[in-house]
Amino acid sequence: MKRLKSILSRNGYIKIKLTKTATNHFELKAKINGVKGRFILDTGASSSCVGFDMIDHFKLEATDSKVKAAGAGASSMDTQQASKNKIKIRDWKFKNFNLVLFDLTHVNTALENHGAKTVEGIIGADILDLGEAIIDYKKKRLYLKKLVFKY
């Protein structure tokens, strides 16, 4: 697997360490608007999101949304959105990024019930698609392709 790492590195990918949680999810650290947070990596989530309680923490400007969120164990949840944010995952950066905001209480309650730490949000398919993501499950690594425009 050393070849995978070197091939991806030569092709502009950034290696990001993943941590396996007690719930068997992958977790990673990221910064939104310069503020650190812990996030679950969720390939099934269409959009990256943070909890309503993180609006001030991440310096977000929230606006109302008519979109309803759904996820494991919850559906038809009210949402808000926050536009024009900066996100940084290790050395991978993107500006003008949109986030979905909703109540993550059910997610964090489930994590706590299984002895895992709570999270500030979820990294979803929008970032994975944008970064042409490759996940190495065995080595617990996420690779995102460096974007060619300025941060």
Side-chain angles (χ1 to χ4, degrees):
M1 279 307 221
K2 286 184 180 180
R3 284 188 54 199
L4 175 64
K5 180 181 169 184
S6 62
I7 290 168
L8 292 175
S9 179
R10 281 195 312 268
N11 285 286
Y13 279 83
I14 295 165
K15 178 181 76 171
I16 298 150
K17 180 184 171 189
L18 299 172
T19 304
K20 201 133 200 199
T21 69
T23 58
N24 215 25
H25 289 94
F26 279 133
E27 174 182 288
L28 61 120
K29 292 183 170 68
K31 287 184 179 180
I32 296 176
N33 300 326
V35 180
K36 293 178 186 177
R38 186 175 28 258
F39 297 82
I40 285 178
L41 181 66
D42 187 348
T43 60
S46 57
S47 300
S48 296
C49 54
V50 297
F52 285 136
D53 58 337
M54 293 290 119
I55 292 172
D56 291 334
H57 179 75
F58 287 119
K59 307 172 193 170
L60 303 173
E61 292 185 29
T63 58
D64 289 333
S65 173
K66 292 183 181 185
V67 175
K68 298 286 185 184
S75 62
S76 296
M77 296 178 289
D78 290 329
T79 66
Q80 291 183 315
Q81 59 186 6
S83 303
K84 300 179 182 174
N85 300 289
K86 293 178 183 176
I87 186 160
K88 182 177 180 188
I89 306 171
R90 197 166 170 258
D91 293 329
W92 187 87
K93 306 170 189 175
F94 187 72
K95 68 176 182 178
N96 203 17
F97 188 71
N98 299 327
L99 286 163
V100 173
L101 310 168
F102 74 102
D103 185 358
L104 285 177
T105 303
H106 69 286
V107 171
N108 281 321
T109 298
L111 290 170
E112 286 179 319
N113 287 344
H114 288 88
K117 294 179 181 177
T118 60
V119 295
E120 284 78 34
I122 296 168
I123 299 296
D126 49 358
I127 288 178
L128 299 176
D129 186 36
L130 188 63
E132 300 178 32
I134 296 171
I135 301 170
D136 183 340
Y137 282 88
K138 185 172 183 168
K139 299 277 186 173
K140 299 179 185 132
R141 293 180 184 145
L142 168 67
Y143 294 90
L144 294 175
K145 190 164 191 172
K146 206 174 222 179
L147 301 172
V148 292
F149 47 84
K150 287 188 174 185
Y151 177 57

